[in-house]
Amino acid sequence: METARGAEGTECGAAASTATDRTTRRAAADSGYAGFWRPWVDAGGKKEEETPNHAAEAMPDGPGMTAASGKLSQFRHPVRDPLLIKLKKVPLKQGRSLMDWIRLTKSGKDLTGLKGRLIEVTEEELKKHNKKDDCWICIRGFVYNVSPYMEYHPGGEDELMRAAGSDGTELFDQVHRWVNYESMLKECLVGRMAIKPAVLKDYREEEKKVLNGMLPKSQVTDTLAKEGPSYPSYDWFQTNSLVTIAIYTKQKDINLDSIIVDHQDDSFRAETIIKDCLYLIHIGLSHEVQEDFSVRVVESVGKIEIVLKKKENTSWDFLGHPLENHNSLIPRKDTGLYYRKCQLISKENVTHDTRLFCLMLPPSTHLQVPIGQHVYLKLPITGTEIVKPYTPVSGSLLSEFKEPVLPNNKYIYFLIKIYHTGLFTPELDRLQIGDFVSVSSPEGNFKISKFQELEDLFLLAAGTGFTPMVKILNYALTDIPSLRKVKLMFFNKTEDDIIWRSQLEKLAFKDKRLDVEFVLSAPISEWNGKQGHISPALLSEFLKINLDKSKVLVCICGPVPFTEQGVRLLQDLNFSKNEIHSFTA
């Protein structure tokens, strides 16, 4: 998700969210989950990263907004709905910044109290360590002594103490599921949680069932069996030169965006997104295959075929052996992020501080990021892996006017603002052509079904909050036959900050269904366009609908204060929750 740049260049596609689930999320925020693992704040409440120009330009008028200006967090997590999460900011002492923490972890000091030993931790032992000076927390089966980290935690000690002596995975996932805690806290690792003894099984028979695509019923949880999709399965067959793995999803809304495939050496991994779950095929192949492969989807029956090319034309006796979580159907919220290394192919200036990056997927990967969803970029910086969410864009708004040099399914584009005093984006900007960046699988909850029978589409974007709108614009103008009108209101500080201005103007000239309005908060005296911040006056004029009963969708993305204020104003203008979709950072 590139998120709306509360964090250093993190754009607003991240954690896309409708206003629909507001009540549920407010309850979560009020219970205190939102404060767990807060964004990084420096001494005296100052944050590591400067707010981008695009954030200042889009700050809404009115009370309560000034606190959001100034600096925004390097480690801000893309939350689902900005209206529901209480952003608790705790000033840190001098010398307690992110870089100070990294220096401490590299000092050689024993941060676990175990003198380098790793131990197995029982539930009973974990519960004993529940004080500020002796605080252990479990995250995804690993136990960390976070006592040394207390003074460095941007959300304050009290928020960490909510998980003291217990499993903090759920609290962590509420706000910062994407943060690379393994790297951040690796010197605080105490050990693994002890696994409770289980009844012995005959795994030989179970493996046979797994490898021909049949999952033992005991592995299907009651929740998924009752509430989730029909349980998928898989099978495989071969010719002299090919191996085909067929996945039967039992769903009809499956397309090429629904399947992610990675294989390296003998390891084969296929993730199929089925509603809110992920079906994983994870196999150590019995023979070698070539890097390139093909993926075919039969949408009418929900069948996916992955065709691998054998390195040797020999008959396989079996497909392979199961690896971790093979043949499992897992709620997406419970899955970790999987990364693959992508190569930087090109980098070009778009504005004075924004670049268009093009990354090439490995030949052994199939990944298409759905509209409105985001991925995470990961880079090692001073020995620590730093992760940022960004929303991929198209290579151009006017792709039909460009030479089709690069096939779309092998390249991912990102519009990223560079913060020269930041941590992540300067490192990204220093990469040379041919260098590698780790890219995660997609996340987000924007559904393309929102476009069905849509007649009026309104887009409100501030700064790099424009990024999720790029693919939405391309899709809307080419693939929604019912569409009558698309209107984009694009907020920036100055004319120099407007991303792809000429392309937007050409697209609007070419397609009369598109109207584009630019709003500047700090224009030069010669500017003849609209000025100011998001306001009732601007929106009431902009959001005029041709027919009272037309199907409408309003998408909004920008810095958190912009999005918060925008959603409130939309509600005041009587737009329903189902007619509003906010992409938030």
Side-chain angles (χ1 to χ4, degrees), residues 1 181 189 207 209 303 317 321 483 494 504 516 550 552:
M1 324 173 197
Y181 64 90
L189 180 63
E207 182 171 311
K209 294 178 181 178
K303 178 184 177 183
D317 294 331
H321 59 277
L483 191 70
T494 69
L504 284 168
V516 179
S550 65
V552 178

Side-chain angles (χ1 to χ4, degrees), residues 144-207:
Y144 298 90
N145 179 0
V146 299
S147 302
Y149 179 67
M150 285 283 180
E151 291 187 346
Y152 297 83
H153 182 236
E157 297 177 358
D158 291 343
E159 296 301 335
L160 277 181
M161 288 303 296
R162 293 182 184 276
S166 65
D167 190 331
T169 304
E170 184 176 354
L171 294 176
F172 178 85
D173 285 349
Q174 288 287 334
V175 179
H176 290 303
R177 190 167 90 80
W178 57 277
V179 169
N180 196 340
Y181 64 90
E182 297 101 324
S183 180
M184 289 278 295
L185 298 176
K186 61 185 176 183
E187 299 303 326
C188 299
L189 180 63
V190 171
R192 282 181 177 269
M193 285 296 293
I195 300 173
K196 294 181 179 179
V199 178
L200 293 176
K201 300 178 181 179
D202 184 350
Y203 285 101
R204 290 170 299 177
E205 185 62 28
E206 185 169 296
E207 182 171 311

Side-chain angles (χ1 to χ4, degrees), residues 32 37 79 215 522:
W37 222 273
V79 293
L215 185 74

